Amino acid sequence: MNWSGPYGLYVAAAYVVALAAIGIEVGLLWRRWK
Amino acid sequence: MRRIRWFKYASPAVFYPAAGRMIPWLSILAAALFAAGLYTGLVQAPADFQQGDAYRVIFIHVPAAWMGMFLYALMAAYAALGWAFNARLSSMMASSLSVTGAMFTFLALVTGSLWGRPTWGAWWVWDARMTSTLILLFLYIGFIALQSAMDDPRRADRAGAVLALVGLVNVPIIYFSVEWWNTLHQGATIRLVSNSTIAPSMAAPLLIMLGACWVYSIAVVLARLCCVIREREGLAP
């Protein structure tokens, strides 16, 4: 994967959004669990 | 041979400790599968000859879209079971599935947009696949909002079940939209009944990421279900 290539930013953004969505779901669940 | 009496797990009090024991192991397995999927997808898999590296969004976009559809069908099935047999664990399972399904559908739409911009030249088009997936997200949001709006959980379960079953018609529409209509979105790449049109070096990370999304979903849905059981049945944590 060439992150500095023309598509690097789009691919990086997709995985950052995925990580954020999973992080928010797990975070909210953790708060409810405790 | 010792037989497992599966029906005893329909009781929230029996199901709760069993689910609690599974969650840590499923979380570890999901994390390992995500790490393996990301490594094989972003490091090992070759670039596409036409799209270059832009295609690598597929490793999160396709599993997220599949999960959005599968979890909706599963949610509708559990909601229907809970409604038909007055099985409260099934209704609680439907509520627990809705949030994760909505998250994956949202993720499919956003990652699809991030893939569409470099390949189609547009963030969004009102094409049949994308529009029906957006409707799926609205159905999830409607289900969650409807359940949250009612104080009586049994009434909320029944109302949610009606909405989930009516909305179920949208799932085959999403799946077959690329065949029924002339859409900008490409057709199916991985097929169960005929040859897939994806190289094995790209299919492997896709399947690993799909496995990761499945195990992650089971872990978070079970954890949410435990929270719902605690809140509704008053069980001690």
Side-chain angles (χ1 to χ4, degrees):
Chain A
M1 173 74 210
N2 178 14
W3 295 105
S4 54
Y7 307 122
L9 206 60
Y10 294 103
V11 177
Y15 286 94
V16 167
V17 170
L19 195 67
I22 288 173
I24 290 169
E25 189 186 18
V26 171
L28 290 173
L29 195 55
W30 180 250
R31 223 172 59 169
R32 193 173 172 185
W33 179 274
K34 282 205 298 179
Chain B
M1 197 174 75
R2 193 165 150 253
R3 287 176 63 192
I4 302 171
R5 288 183 295 131
W6 293 105
F7 280 111
K8 74 177 180 184
Y9 289 102
S11 157
V14 177
F15 184 85
Y16 180 83
R21 280 194 298 272
M22 286 163 69
I23 294 165
W25 298 107
L26 289 168
S27 306
I28 293 167
L29 181 61
L33 284 171
F34 271 127
L38 288 175
Y39 179 75
T40 49
L42 299 179
V43 179
Q44 284 194 326
D48 184 67
F49 85 105
Q50 273 185 328
Q51 294 189 32
D53 281 323
Y55 93 97
R56 291 183 202 274
V57 177
I58 198 175
F59 301 124
I60 187 65
H61 172 71
V62 170
W66 282 347
M67 293 310 298
M69 285 192 292
F70 288 150
L71 292 183
Y72 190 90
L74 209 56
M75 180 186 87
Y78 273 114
L81 274 176
W83 188 23
F85 298 108
N86 206 19
R88 45 191 212 284
L89 190 64
S90 294
S91 301
M92 289 188 235
M93 180 66 103
S95 308
S96 306
L97 283 162
S98 61
V99 181
T100 306
M103 189 278 286
F104 274 119
T105 308
F106 168 78
L107 209 51
L109 289 168
V110 173
T111 55
S113 187
L114 285 162
W115 193 5
R117 182 71 182 94
T119 50
W120 297 343
W123 295 105
W124 180 265
V125 285
W126 291 100
D127 129 304
R129 173 60 68 86
M130 293 157 80
T131 308
S132 52
T133 307
L134 184 64
I135 291 170
L136 183 72
L137 179 63
F138 291 156
L139 283 166
Y140 272 123
I141 293 171
F143 181 89
I144 295 165
L146 188 64
Q147 290 221 313
S148 315
M150 293 187 183
D151 289 332
D152 178 8
R154 299 305 299 153
R155 274 189 69 210
D157 288 341
R158 279 197 298 274
V162 175
L163 177 65
L165 286 171
V166 171
L168 191 60
V169 74
N170 190 42
V171 174
I173 292 176
I174 297 173
Y175 188 79
F176 292 110
S177 58
V178 287
E179 292 175 24
W180 290 345
W181 294 288
N182 188 17
T183 63
L184 187 57
H185 195 285
Q186 68 165 72
T189 305
I190 291 190
R191 298 183 184 94
L192 294 175
V193 287
S194 57
N195 288 339
S196 298
T197 55
I198 185 169
S201 57
M202 296 172 181
L206 186 59
L207 294 175
I208 296 171
M209 286 295 279
L210 179 65
C213 288
W214 259 116
V215 179
Y216 165 80
S217 298
I218 297 168
V220 292
V221 167
L222 285 182
R224 191 173 295 110
L225 185 57
C226 285
C227 294
V228 175
I229 292 173
R230 258 186 352 220
E231 288 157 10
R232 286 202 195 178
E233 308 277 319
L235 290 179

